[in-house]
Amino acid sequence: MVNRFVVPYNPYMLLKYNTPINVEICTSLRAVKFIYTYIYKRFDCANMVLSAVQAQYNEIANYIGARYVSAPEAMWRLLGSHIHDRSHAVMRLPVHLPNQKRVPFKNGHEEKALEAARSRQTMLESWFQLNQSHSDAQTLLNTNIPYNYVYDRNNWKRRKRRVSSMRSTSPEADKQRQAVLIIIDEIAMLTKDGLRCIDSLLRDLLNNDKPFGGKVIIIGGDIRQTLPVIPRGERAVVIES
């Protein structure tokens, strides 16, 4: 029997994760250097010579470091795909018992830190207050609160859903405010979600809770161009109707 028949393992990790885990120890500094060099390495480079005639060999004069872009990387950039991205954000929701919240302090400023902690609510205490003042929050778990509310200045505030990329300070937004009449043609081609998006956008821009922000909306179009909805109807039945 040789060393290849021996499988290194860690009993603690096997019991914790309940799965076969092989443990290897990096006993050489080269392994650590390789890992960090691979993660933080720069882009690939190629050496090319710019010389028409055979000259005396000079590494600095004859060779220029140039970036090498492979075909997959070039196509990836031409298509405008993201080079790196973040899948999701992680928000920590601390939990503590009554009168046992954590209070950070500096040496010599303990009393000041305690006074500041008494006048400031924690994230968990703000969640309790949110449930008392908002009935919608009572239907949500603590882990679902960040999807509908944002924690700002020691208080949970309802998250504002953006329905458009138009900013309130943009010239396009000013045109919408100055418009006296808005005409929507071919209304039959607009989905209900699109109409709701226009309604929400105008309400936010005009700071008016009336339908479409109080703007006069004229819709037009030929409803007969849109085929009626026949439940479980075949194509021929829809066209004939």
Side-chain angles (χ1 to χ4, degrees):
M1 180 176 292
V2 293
N3 292 337
R4 63 183 179 182
F5 293 98
V6 179
V7 179
Y9 70 97
N10 188 311
Y12 171 77
M13 299 182 66
L14 291 176
L15 293 175
K16 181 177 180 179
Y17 297 103
N18 193 23
T19 183
I21 298 179
N22 295 342
V23 181
E24 296 288 347
I25 301 177
C26 297
T27 57
S28 175
L29 185 61
R30 294 183 178 179
V32 179
K33 283 185 176 181
F34 173 78
I35 294 175
Y36 280 89
T37 303
Y38 184 80
I39 296 177
Y40 298 105
K41 69 177 182 179
R42 300 180 63 191
F43 47 80
D44 297 331
C45 294
N47 292 329
M48 59 183 182
V49 58
L50 300 177
S51 177
V53 297
Q54 185 68 25
Q56 186 178 1
Y57 179 77
N58 189 321
E59 184 177 359
I60 300 177
N62 295 343
Y63 289 89
I64 301 176
R67 179 167 184 178
Y68 172 74
V69 180
S70 60
E73 183 182 359
M75 180 57 66
W76 191 270
R77 293 181 177 274
L78 289 175
L79 294 177
S81 302
H82 295 288
I83 301 299
H84 58 83
D85 196 6
R86 184 177 65 177
S87 61
H88 58 278
V90 178
M91 185 175 185
R92 183 173 177 267
L93 299 176
V95 179
H96 60 84
L97 296 176
N99 299 325
Q100 294 187 16
K101 58 184 178 182
R102 302 185 61 180
V103 180
F105 63 90
K106 294 182 179 179
N107 293 332
H109 299 81
E110 292 83 0
E111 295 294 334
K112 186 177 180 180
L114 288 175
E115 291 295 332
R118 291 191 184 100
S119 61
R120 184 176 62 250
Q121 289 184 336
T122 63
M123 190 177 295
L124 182 63
E125 293 172 344
S126 300
W127 176 59
F128 291 144
Q129 185 178 3
L130 177 67
N131 282 269
Q132 295 177 358
S133 57
H134 292 76
S135 57
D136 296 340
Q138 298 176 4
T139 61
L140 301 174
L141 298 176
N142 188 21
T143 55
N144 296 330
I145 288 294
Y147 293 102
N148 300 273
Y149 296 86
V150 59
Y151 190 70
D152 182 26
R153 298 179 182 179
N154 300 325
N155 289 309
W156 287 103
K157 299 180 181 179
R158 185 177 293 276
R159 186 180 295 275
K160 294 182 179 181
R161 305 285 184 181
R162 296 196 56 159
V163 298
S164 174
S165 59
M166 183 185 301
R167 298 185 178 274
S168 59
T169 57
S170 62
E172 292 79 7
D174 294 335
K175 293 180 181 179
Q176 299 298 328
R177 298 189 186 96
Q178 298 172 4
V180 180
L181 180 68
I182 297 179
I183 302 176
I184 303 178
D185 194 14
E186 300 293 347
I187 189 63
M189 299 292 103
L190 184 64
T191 62
K192 63 178 182 179
D193 294 332
L195 197 60
R196 290 175 180 173
C197 178
I198 298 175
D199 178 36
S200 300
L201 177 61
L202 292 177
R203 292 190 185 192
D204 294 339
L205 293 179
L206 302 174
N207 196 17
N208 193 332
D209 202 28
K210 294 181 180 180
F212 297 99
K215 288 288 185 180
V216 179
I217 306 293
I218 296 180
I219 59 176
D222 191 358
I223 305 299
R224 293 174 296 179
Q225 294 179 354
T226 304
L227 297 177
V229 178
I230 307 298
R232 293 181 295 276
E234 297 180 356
R235 183 176 182 182
V237 178
V238 175
I239 295 176
E240 291 178 358
S241 60

